[in-house]
Amino acid sequence: MSKIKRIGVFTSGGDAPGMNACVRAVVRTAIYHDIAVTGILQGYQGMIDQSFIEMNSRSVSNTIQMGGTILKTARCLEFRTKEGRAKAYENIRSVGIDALVAIGGDGTFTGAEVFSREYDIPVIGIPGTIDNDLYGTDYTIGYDTANNTVIDAIDKIRDTAASHDRLFFVEVMGRDSGCIALNCGIAGGAEAILLPEKETGIDELIDKLERAKEGKKSSTIVIVAEGDKNGGAYNVAKRVEEKFDFYDTKVTILGHLQRGGSPSSFDRVLASRLGYAAVNRLLAGETRVMVGLRNNEIESTSLEEALSNKEFKLAEDMLEMTNVLAI
Ligand code: ATP
């Protein structure tokens, strides 16, 4: 393998808090090893549009605490085509990029895997998504911060729910992954949690709500992941109200506020560790892998495995525990 002289780093897919801390770690670790760094703006779109910036240690000063991504992000359809990737390769080579660090989710890694095979360019992926839906890492960058944001919101909703004896349906992000819903449901003391990975019938939910009412609960909160099969919090609320009108019912959709905010201490440290490891492993000859955290150790998993192994990350016993703790 030829020696790497310039790394291109980019963020892609949905933004996540901690991406900046990760970019900072990649840039500074590379500079430390005398490797030049190009920041590619707006993910794969920037490769096609030649949106490149030269980065040095100072380009990432004062960014570790910032949410969002200073490199911007985009969803790029053109990169899904052979012609788009050919243009991207020509452009990155024209500025001397000979290896890539891709920070994003499963779509980003799919693109990186295809690109790296087509053009034999070394690439390392870093899991940056609030969804925590990648195999090969216990946590993805941004997940912890998003959970803290959701918990803060649930606590506030609980105050008003308890004051008015209300039933709240709170919709959280997670089209395919119920990680945020389950985690925040437990941490927020929810009475029920609806997840994309597990079908919950409306009658089953009403049984739970009736039990809560019989238990003289003054408020009830149901967490609904956006990908729940019943069709989101508004639909669930409507169907429940048709059969169970004991409470005054309200719906809150937390939406994009779950993506923003200053990264938590956990996410900053995770992002720093993964960014540092990604560059060191790239220089050691690793390619087409994702660096992740498993049992508090940094481990590499091939991108192929990270993408194909759709292991159910939600522990069933946690769901059972929720039912017990909600009595
Ligand atoms: P999140 O989990 O936050 O949604 P993500 O990385 O999964 O993040 P996507 O929009 O799915 O976000 O993917 C990011 C980009 O990766 C896409 O916009 C596209 O440019 C590229 N990409 C995804 N799938 C492919 C593919 N099959 N071939 C080439 N490029 C792809």
Side-chain angles (χ1 to χ4, degrees):
M1 174 185 282
S2 60
K3 196 176 168 319
I4 292 168
K5 295 196 184 69
R6 177 176 291 275
I7 288 174
V9 60
F10 61 98
T11 52
S12 164
D15 62 306
M19 280 182 160
N20 289 325
C22 189
V23 171
R24 171 181 177 272
V26 169
V27 170
R28 291 191 173 171
T29 307
I31 303 276
Y32 175 82
H33 290 291
D34 288 325
I35 311 289
V37 187
T38 297
I40 302 167
L41 302 180
Q42 294 177 315
Y44 296 117
Q45 192 63 50
M47 293 187 194
I48 291 171
D49 298 341
Q50 291 182 285
S51 299
F52 301 133
I53 51 167
E54 185 66 31
M55 301 196 83
N56 58 41
S57 292
R58 296 288 73 77
S59 337
V60 286
S61 294
N62 215 3
T63 60
I64 196 167
Q65 78 281 20
M66 286 166 59
T69 161
I70 56 166
L71 293 181
K72 307 272 187 176
T73 183
R75 306 210 190 254
C76 174
L77 284 180
E78 205 179 338
F79 194 77
R80 291 172 183 264
T81 65
K82 244 183 171 336
E83 297 72 31
R85 293 193 295 275
K87 212 189 285 178
Y89 183 70
E90 197 182 306
N91 290 341
I92 62 167
R93 288 301 300 142
S94 73
V95 291
I97 294 171
D98 43 25
L100 292 168
V101 174
I103 306 166
D106 55 353
T108 301
F109 293 168
T110 308
E113 162 80 13
V114 171
F115 193 54
S116 172
R117 283 195 190 283
E118 249 168 19
Y119 293 101
D120 195 25
I121 181 160
V123 59
I124 297 233
I126 304 181
T129 165
I130 65 167
D131 291 337
N132 203 33
D133 59 351
L134 287 161
Y135 175 79
T137 189
D138 296 339
Y139 300 103
T140 56
I141 297 168
Y143 174 63
D144 183 64
T145 306
N147 278 320
N148 290 330
T149 302
V150 172
I151 286 303
D152 188 46
I154 294 175
D155 288 349
K156 288 175 175 150
I157 288 167
R158 181 71 79 181
D159 287 346
T160 175
S163 302
H164 289 271
D165 282 4
R166 276 179 175 154
L167 164 60
F168 264 88
F169 292 89
V170 181
E171 185 175 300
V172 301
M173 278 189 170
R175 272 192 302 270
D176 304 305
S177 163
C179 286
I180 291 180
L182 179 60
N183 210 55
C184 293
I186 292 169
E191 278 64 34
I193 306 170
L194 305 189
L195 308 164
E197 295 91 341
K198 197 172 167 65
E199 274 190 51
T200 307
I202 295 296
D203 291 337
E204 188 187 333
L205 176 59
I206 289 175
D207 281 350
K208 281 187 188 171
L209 299 178
E210 274 170 349
R211 276 201 300 276
K213 194 71 218 168
E214 281 160 18
K216 300 204 181 338
K217 288 203 167 210
S218 63
S219 65
T220 300
I221 292 183
V222 178
I223 304 295
V224 184
E226 63 180 325
D228 168 62
K229 304 283 182 298
N230 295 297
Y234 275 111
N235 279 321
V236 176
K238 194 163 155 268
R239 290 175 62 196
V240 167
E241 265 183 319
E242 284 164 8
K243 294 187 176 177
F244 179 80
D245 61 355
F246 206 88
Y247 283 104
D248 182 17
T249 300
K250 298 286 174 202
V251 176
T252 299
I253 313 273
L254 295 183
H256 281 82
L257 68 84
Q258 295 164 86
R259 285 264 180 85
S262 182
S264 65
S265 153
F266 181 90
D267 273 330
R268 293 182 203 192
V269 175
L270 176 68
S272 300
R273 289 179 74 184
L274 294 181
Y276 173 78
V279 173
N280 285 326
R281 290 183 185 211
L282 200 51
L283 298 183
E286 288 191 37
T287 180
R288 276 178 228 137
V289 297
M290 178 194 83
V291 285
L293 189 74
R294 285 173 129 176
N295 300 321
N296 208 24
E297 301 281 339
I298 305 292
E299 284 187 21
S300 301
T301 304
S302 74
L303 288 179
E304 213 171 0
E305 198 187 350
L307 290 166
S308 64
N309 201 332
K310 291 278 176 200
E311 186 186 71
F312 189 59
K313 264 197 172 183
L314 298 173
E316 287 279 339
D317 60 337
M318 296 228 309
L319 259 183
E320 274 169 42
M321 177 185 79
T322 314
N323 293 334
V324 172
L325 301 188
I327 60 171

